[in-house]
Amino acid sequence: TEVICLACVALFSANFASCFAPAFMAFNAARLEHERMPMPTLAFCSLVIGAVYLPMPMSLFLTRLIVARADHVSGLAFFAATLMLSHGAIISWEVNGAVGFTQQAIVLGARFMQGLGSGVLFQARFVLASLSTHNHHQDLQAKQMFASDLGLGFGALLPFLGSYIGGNSELPEKRPEFGTSV
């Protein structure tokens, strides 16, 4: 159970950080075209990064509801389902050639859907705290912080790895989220 909870924390952090490269790519492309940053681009970049945290109150409610009616495994499965469905949506729309505003709207919708699983962070803390004894509590907190940092680091490298494995030296301009979603 401890390993599963730590893996969920790492996975959420990796998912959060994987959007940095596409967001900064959009930011830099708009900056090259305009003297001042256009407000829609600034809003898109901000939302793409922060969208996983915006639905957190709803996520906490849904996670508590699922855990109360079923068990903690169901709460973790809900987290996994939000990630699978959102990344599946990104893959299917980018394969079908969605570009421009449509692509941005789909990416933002997927990031909000991923945010519905953000309650896993609190669920993992609760499960880990219930498993720990007083002398083991600090050790579990350190492991959870390490899992989060490891996820952030891996997530930041994920766009590069996806592009490199796909045979590109940089993120594809028309499908920047594809490599990280696959």
Side-chain angles (χ1 to χ4, degrees):
T1 308
E2 178 182 326
V3 173
I4 293 171
C5 288
L6 293 174
C8 286
V9 168
L11 185 59
F12 180 82
S13 297
N15 184 60
F16 168 68
S18 69
C19 74
F20 292 165
F24 291 139
M25 185 177 85
F27 186 86
N28 289 335
R31 191 74 177 118
L32 289 174
E33 292 177 19
H34 305 284
E35 189 173 310
R36 294 186 59 187
M37 178 59 63
M39 190 54 103
T41 303
L42 187 60
F44 172 74
C45 292
S46 300
L47 283 173
V48 116
I49 292 172
V52 293
Y53 291 107
L54 292 176
M56 191 172 276
M58 177 62 92
S59 175
L60 292 172
F61 171 76
L62 290 173
T63 302
R64 288 182 71 193
L65 183 71
I66 291 168
V67 169
R69 293 198 177 170
D71 58 3
H72 286 289
V73 174
S74 299
L76 297 175
F78 173 69
F79 165 68
T82 61
L83 286 184
M84 295 298 288
L85 289 173
S86 62
H87 284 289
I90 290 172
I91 291 168
S92 65
W93 281 99
E94 287 192 356
V95 164
N96 290 324
V99 293
F101 178 75
T102 304
Q103 180 184 26
Q104 290 179 341
I106 290 165
V107 168
L108 284 177
R111 295 293 288 172
F112 278 109
M113 185 185 294
Q114 292 163 6
L116 288 176
S118 63
V120 76
L121 299 174
F122 295 99
Q123 181 187 4
R125 275 191 208 127
F126 176 79
V127 171
L128 291 173
S130 66
L131 292 175
S132 72
T133 58
H134 179 67
N135 58 348
H136 189 59
H137 186 67
Q138 286 182 331
D139 188 39
L140 281 176
Q141 282 183 327
K143 287 180 181 178
Q144 188 173 5
M145 288 180 200
F146 179 72
S148 179
D149 289 347
L150 189 66
L152 288 171
F154 181 71
L157 292 174
L158 199 55
F160 164 74
L161 293 173
S163 295
Y164 184 75
I165 291 169
N168 299 319
S169 61
E170 58 186 46
L171 284 178
E173 194 172 316
K174 302 231 187 246
R175 300 184 318 183
E177 296 276 338
F178 184 76
T180 58
S181 290
V182 172

